[in-house]
Amino acid sequence: MVAWTQPTASEFKTFFARDFNFAPSNDPNNLDYVTDVDVQRALDTARINFNPALFGENAQITTVFMYLSGFFLVKAIQVSAKGLSSQSKFPISSQSCGGVNVSYQIPDRYSKDEYLSQFTDNGYGMLYLSMALPMLVGNVANIGGMTTTNDGGYYRGR
């Protein structure tokens, strides 16, 4: 396997061409749109929270990473839109308006895990979870070498 390289802001914009309104090339700093600075910040944040060794081929690694980056981009834009007024809230599990009630049950697998629960906030996080969770279960490797046994002897692994 060739070493994985983090995608660039340009590659992110190509991957999510239909998903986000990116700033036009003739006005790249227009804050009415998602700018390259926003994208780069999301890529950098995702990299802190990402382990490429969990995934197979470079194309798969990149796809999973892109959805994690998309999650962080959406979160950052939501926070920046409110600025100093931004607040942290847990995902809504029940809501009512007049005679209409809506209730969502977040599976315990997500809601009881401090790290995983954050990804239930938007669709990109849920897509990331759908690809990452299978790689987190039973990801164990056997390493050859010597170890002691219960009776004080040695066992050579294969």
Side-chain angles (χ1 to χ4, degrees):
M1 181 171 95
V2 178
W4 177 74
T5 304
Q6 177 178 313
T8 64
S10 177
E11 292 168 323
F12 180 95
K13 288 165 50 174
T14 299
F15 188 88
F16 287 116
R18 293 179 50 95
D19 296 56
F20 300 101
N21 292 320
F22 297 108
S25 57
N26 64 346
D27 192 8
N29 298 316
N30 187 331
L31 297 181
D32 292 332
Y33 298 92
V34 175
T35 67
D36 285 355
V37 171
D38 297 323
V39 171
Q40 189 59 53
R41 185 174 0 136
L43 291 169
D44 293 344
T45 304
R47 185 65 179 108
I48 293 167
N49 290 277
F50 189 70
N51 181 358
L54 291 175
F55 306 98
E57 313 233 344
N58 284 344
Q60 180 187 22
I61 296 168
T62 298
T63 299
V64 176
F65 181 79
M66 289 295 203
Y67 285 108
L68 181 60
S69 300
F71 166 78
F72 283 114
L73 177 62
V74 169
K75 294 299 289 181
I77 295 297
Q78 289 171 339
V79 169
S80 70
K82 297 189 180 191
L84 296 175
S85 300
S86 69
Q87 298 177 9
S88 177
K89 295 180 182 176
F90 289 102
I92 296 172
S93 63
S94 180
Q95 188 174 22
S96 64
C97 180
V100 178
N101 293 315
V102 177
S103 181
Y104 300 96
Q105 177 63 40
I106 300 170
D108 287 344
R109 182 177 190 181
Y110 307 131
S111 65
K112 292 187 176 182
D113 186 301
E114 305 90 26
Y115 181 73
L116 295 180
S117 65
Q118 70 179 320
F119 299 113
T120 64
D121 280 355
N122 67 52
Y124 297 100
M126 291 299 292
L127 285 167
Y128 166 72
L129 280 177
S130 72
M131 291 180 271
L133 279 177
M135 303 304 174
L136 299 176
V137 177
N139 198 358
V140 178
N142 185 14
I143 300 174
M146 294 193 61
T147 185
T148 58
T149 61
N150 288 340
D151 63 0
Y154 289 97
Y155 172 78
R156 179 173 294 281
R158 296 179 193 231

